[in-house]
Amino acid sequence: MRAFLLLAGLLASAPLFAQAQTAAQERMKAIQADPAALQAAVTAGKKASFFCANCHGEGGVAKTTDVPNLAGQNPGYLLEQIRKFGSGERKDQFMQGLIKVLKDEERVQIALYYASVTVPPSRADATQVARGKVMFDKLCARCHGENARGHELYPRLAGQQQPYLQKSITHYRDGTGIRNNQLMSIATAPLKNEDIVALSHYLTQLP
């Protein structure tokens, strides 16, 4: 109960749904408003993302469970993560090195390309799904949305690989990952290992 109250307090007091618009984000919105420009950006983004496929797979479907799927992710969220890697706010030597060579327009194009790709369905343990939904509705839906599709501030979780989800949620709960987030630490604190397993199976099978 204490974790729930802390989480609610942070959500109520922090301006989580307000974010200063960068020039790149404004550029992305302008492209999205023009169908021809959007198609051109998606085509260019596919070409510019060739090096991403080494880890994130063709079309943004990850080759291994150590990295997330980028396919179907929210373009605003992707663009912000690209910015964070480029500035060093997110730490990963490999990612930081690759992103620093990208021009601003290429960053926008890559985000729009991956957002345009349909996420393939993932298999899950059907016996875990109902319990996972209860966990999600209680702890996650307020930020990530009722269908786990997120928005420009929070990532889409629907359709991510089950092992990646399980590992990431566990890292947030235990404080053992590279990324630190107070809201995620509080939200995941009540979860037992079996809860995390159920939650990851629920999320991976969502369309």
Side-chain angles (χ1 to χ4, degrees), residues 75-121:
Y77 177 81
L78 278 178
L79 187 60
E80 176 63 6
Q81 301 317 300
I82 291 172
R83 183 196 68 75
K84 286 183 176 181
F85 276 121
S87 69
E89 291 177 49
R90 282 191 66 176
K91 305 293 184 182
D92 183 286
Q93 188 174 3
F94 185 69
M95 286 290 294
Q96 288 174 257
L98 289 175
I99 286 174
K100 283 181 179 179
V101 306
L102 291 175
K103 299 176 182 178
D104 287 345
E105 190 74 0
E106 291 174 322
R107 295 181 179 193
V108 171
Q109 292 166 345
I110 288 173
L112 289 171
Y113 163 62
Y114 280 125
S116 74
V117 181
T118 301
V119 183

Side-chain angles (χ1 to χ4, degrees), residues 15-87:
L16 295 177
F17 297 99
Q19 184 180 47
Q21 296 299 309
T22 66
Q25 289 168 334
E26 292 293 350
R27 171 61 178 158
M28 184 177 69
K29 288 184 176 181
I31 292 173
Q32 288 175 305
D34 182 339
L38 178 58
Q39 184 56 55
V42 167
T43 299
K46 183 176 183 178
K47 293 179 181 178
S49 66
F50 72 92
F51 60 85
C52 307
N54 291 324
C55 296
H56 292 283
E58 295 295 333
V61 180
K63 291 183 175 181
T64 70
T65 59
D66 293 329
V67 296
N69 293 339
L70 300 183
Q73 190 56 269
N74 299 294
Y77 177 81
L78 278 178
L79 187 60
E80 176 63 6
Q81 301 317 300
I82 291 172
R83 183 196 68 75
K84 286 183 176 181
F85 276 121
S87 69

Side-chain angles (χ1 to χ4, degrees), residues 3 171-173 175 179-190:
H171 281 319
Y172 276 120
R173 184 197 64 184
R179 301 174 67 185
N180 294 311
N181 183 290
Q182 188 178 14
L183 285 175
M184 283 297 296
S185 297
I186 293 171
T188 56

